[in-house]
């Protein structure tokens, strides 16, 4: 929090803070609104994370337009990053369904995926 206010911190450098943002760490400890569990809310996300998320949603939407489905192949090199992203979101969705916490998949993000017709069950 000190770095966000322009103060210095003994160990938390800006680089470390960026790394924590990149993995979805919530510096504010706010509820994410999904099943009332503690996780990462949209407020705690870096602008880079928002851009990366929107880029993947657009890639997935285009994949669906071209192929008629969301089954992104894991064995095609060009699609591996998108396949990993889809798999990770399905994993986090199923965690939430079991009542576990998931800092990466918020209600807002789930809504974005539902809006393009994505089925979390594959």
């Amino acid at each position: 929090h000190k770095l966000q206010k322009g103060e210095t911190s003994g160990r938390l450098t800006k680089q470390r803070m960026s790394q924590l943002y990149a993995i979805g760490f919530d510096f504010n400890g706010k509820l994410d609104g999904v099943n009332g569990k503690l996780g990462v809310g949209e407020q705690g996300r870096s602008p880079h994370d928002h851009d990366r998320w929107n880029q993947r949603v657009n890639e997935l939407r285009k994949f669906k337009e071209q192929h008629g489905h969301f089954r992104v192949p894991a064995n095609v090199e060009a699609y591996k990053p998108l396949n990993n992203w889809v798999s990770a979101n399905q994993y986090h969705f199923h965690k939430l369904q079991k009542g576990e916490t998931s800092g990466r998949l918020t209600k807002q993000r789930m809504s974005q995926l539902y809006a393009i017709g994505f089925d979390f069950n594959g």
Side-chain angles (χ1 to χ4, degrees):
H1 286 19
K2 287 183 176 184
L3 284 175
Q4 288 176 327
K5 296 175 187 172
E7 301 172 19
T8 60
S9 175
R11 293 188 185 162
L12 188 59
T13 64
K14 286 185 180 183
Q15 180 182 4
R16 286 183 180 175
M17 198 169 175
S18 287
Q19 290 170 330
L20 289 169
Y21 270 122
I23 64 167
F25 185 83
D26 181 15
F27 289 94
N28 300 316
K30 301 212 187 256
L31 289 174
D32 71 358
V34 180
N35 290 339
K37 303 290 184 179
L38 187 63
V40 178
E42 292 300 312
Q43 300 281 344
R45 297 196 182 280
S46 72
H48 177 70
D49 190 49
H50 285 292
D51 293 344
R52 208 173 40 200
W53 172 267
N54 289 329
Q55 177 187 349
R56 290 285 188 236
V57 170
N58 285 329
E59 287 175 27
L60 185 60
R61 182 183 47 75
K62 287 176 186 173
F63 181 89
K64 168 79 174 5
E65 287 172 3
Q66 292 173 352
H67 302 281
H69 58 79
F70 291 110
R71 294 180 307 277
V72 182
N75 60 346
V76 176
E77 193 64 35
Y79 291 129
K80 280 186 181 182
L82 185 59
N83 173 275
N84 290 340
W85 183 82
V86 166
S87 296
N89 282 299
Q90 288 171 329
Y91 169 78
H92 288 287
F93 176 81
H94 291 292
K95 279 182 70 170
L96 290 170
Q97 295 302 304
K98 291 189 257 182
E100 299 174 22
T101 59
S102 173
R104 292 187 172 251
L105 189 61
T106 63
K107 255 186 180 173
Q108 180 181 354
R109 288 182 168 190
M110 285 172 51
S111 293
Q112 281 182 281
L113 291 172
Y114 281 133
I116 64 169
F118 183 71
D119 179 7
F120 285 95
N121 295 311

